[in-house]
Amino acid sequence: MKIVIVDSHKEVLPHWIREYIARKLPLVVLRIDKHHDMFSDCPLLPAREGRGIFDYLDKMMPVICEYTRRRLNEGNFTCPAFHYGIVGTLYHFDPRGERIDAYGRVCNGEFVDAPRTRTRSSFQSGRRVDLIEWDGERTRLRKQNGRLIPAPESIDAARFESDMDESRYPVVIGIDLDGLCAIDDRGWTEKEIEKRLRKARRLLECLSAPVLACIARSQTPRAYVPSELVDELQEAALSLIAFIRLQSLPQDPFGRPSRRDTARLRS
């Protein structure tokens, strides 16, 4: 399992894309985060010009890195990942609560009810810009802060574990440190942070062989995590990932857990 540490959470997108290219399969994302990061209105990448998606994305990586830095923000980077088929489903867990928000599910080994996108044209400073937005005709949406985002399905840990049992897709972990402690948390205590870490660990234990783990420090362009805690929280997140790495199972050539080894462990 690769481990990547970024600052702004949007910087995980190129790493997701590299895994998608390497595995030739959409990703299942488990995000441990205070925020859903499911806003839209992001620009399209340049036209594909008939090339296959994997070849196109591979050749476009320098452009994608620049696109991520300049054209996306920490609240909308997930939308293009769904639009280009990089992410097949996303499970968001804020450890302040108990439920998981599922943006799509893995059922019987297939993706179901993943949020769908569409494009629209807008004019900015007299120039036409093609944007990606959520498709309200094919996806149930809800309004937050005056903007539309997909309405997730709320599931418990048992359903999440069942989905993971059925999945044969590569899994990536995303831990935004504000999921453990955010700058606007009032009256937080070490005991509360430890409780959130335990909840996160219970979900991570449902994963048999994640291929990538990304930690977001979330200090710029706006600080979401107290600066005096960020290093300590990063070490705590790395300890969680180290635990998962130790329990990871052998993988097949596509980076997915071996079904035979999974069965052997459970028996």
Side-chain angles (χ1 to χ4, degrees):
M1 173 172 57
K2 299 176 187 175
I3 300 173
V4 174
I5 298 173
V6 299
D7 188 356
S8 175
H9 205 168
K10 69 178 182 178
E11 296 169 31
V12 304
L13 180 60
H15 298 284
W16 286 355
I17 293 173
R18 290 187 182 101
E19 289 301 318
Y20 176 60
I21 294 168
R23 313 288 172 177
K24 302 294 189 291
L25 286 169
L27 308 177
V28 173
V29 176
L30 169 61
R31 173 183 291 154
I32 297 167
D33 194 337
K34 184 175 183 180
H35 307 100
H36 54 69
D37 299 340
M38 291 293 288
F39 294 117
S40 62
D41 288 338
C42 7
L44 280 168
L45 285 167
R48 208 162 80 199
E49 299 177 350
R51 284 179 288 184
I53 186 65
F54 300 113
D55 179 58
Y56 167 77
L57 291 173
D58 187 42
K59 291 181 177 177
M60 290 290 290
M61 282 309 303
V63 174
I64 288 168
C65 292
E66 187 72 5
Y67 165 85
T68 301
R69 283 194 298 267
R70 296 183 177 273
R71 308 296 298 277
L72 301 180
N73 60 56
E74 63 272 28
N76 70 4
F77 65 91
T78 306
C79 183
F82 274 106
H83 181 75
Y84 291 103
I86 296 150
V87 169
T89 189
L90 184 146
Y91 297 86
H92 168 232
F93 179 59
D94 180 354
R96 292 160 184 78
E98 302 294 333
R99 307 286 289 184
I100 301 150
D101 284 340
Y103 296 92
R105 300 273 304 279
V106 181
C107 295
N108 298 317
E110 301 294 334
F111 295 123
V112 297
D113 298 330
R116 308 293 292 274
T117 59
R118 63 188 178 193
T119 60
R120 68 177 174 86
S121 295
S122 176
F123 286 88
Q124 300 175 5
S125 302
R127 297 179 58 189
R128 172 176 161 168
V129 178
D130 293 323
L131 300 174
I132 308 167
E133 65 180 8
W134 300 115
D135 186 346
E137 295 181 0
R138 299 184 294 168
T139 300
R140 187 167 62 93
L141 303 179
R142 64 184 177 92
K143 186 171 284 189
Q144 181 179 358
N145 300 332
R147 292 183 282 179
L148 292 173
I149 62 171
E153 179 182 356
S154 179
I155 63 174
D156 60 17
R159 285 184 177 270
F160 173 73
E161 183 173 16
S162 176
D163 286 7
M164 294 301 96
D165 286 346
E166 295 182 1
S167 176
R168 297 284 290 160
Y169 295 96
V171 176
V172 301
I173 302 165
I175 302 178
D176 192 322
L177 296 182
D178 68 14
L180 303 177
C181 186
I183 204 164
D184 54 356
D185 282 345
R186 298 183 183 278
W188 61 268
T189 63
E190 288 188 10
K191 186 176 180 180
E192 180 62 29
I193 294 174
E194 290 171 359
K195 181 179 178 182
R196 294 171 188 173
L197 283 164
R198 287 195 298 272
K199 288 183 179 181
R201 174 170 169 164
R202 285 199 293 270
L203 278 194
L204 293 175
E205 287 173 342
C206 299
L207 309 178
S208 56
V211 299
L212 173 69
C214 297
I215 296 173
R217 290 169 60 88
S218 291
Q219 296 298 289
T220 57
R222 168 188 164 189
Y224 291 91
V225 181
S227 59
E228 68 274 17
L229 285 181
V230 68
D231 290 335
E232 185 177 347
L233 293 174
Q234 178 179 303
E235 288 305 310
L238 286 169
S239 295
L240 281 180
I241 292 167
F243 168 78
I244 297 305
R245 174 181 273 173
L246 285 174
Q247 73 166 21
S248 290
L249 298 172
Q251 301 175 1
D252 69 13
F254 295 99
R256 302 168 300 193
S258 164
R259 187 175 298 276
R260 181 175 60 188
D261 290 317
T262 302
R264 176 175 53 79
L265 181 70
R266 289 184 180 149
S267 63

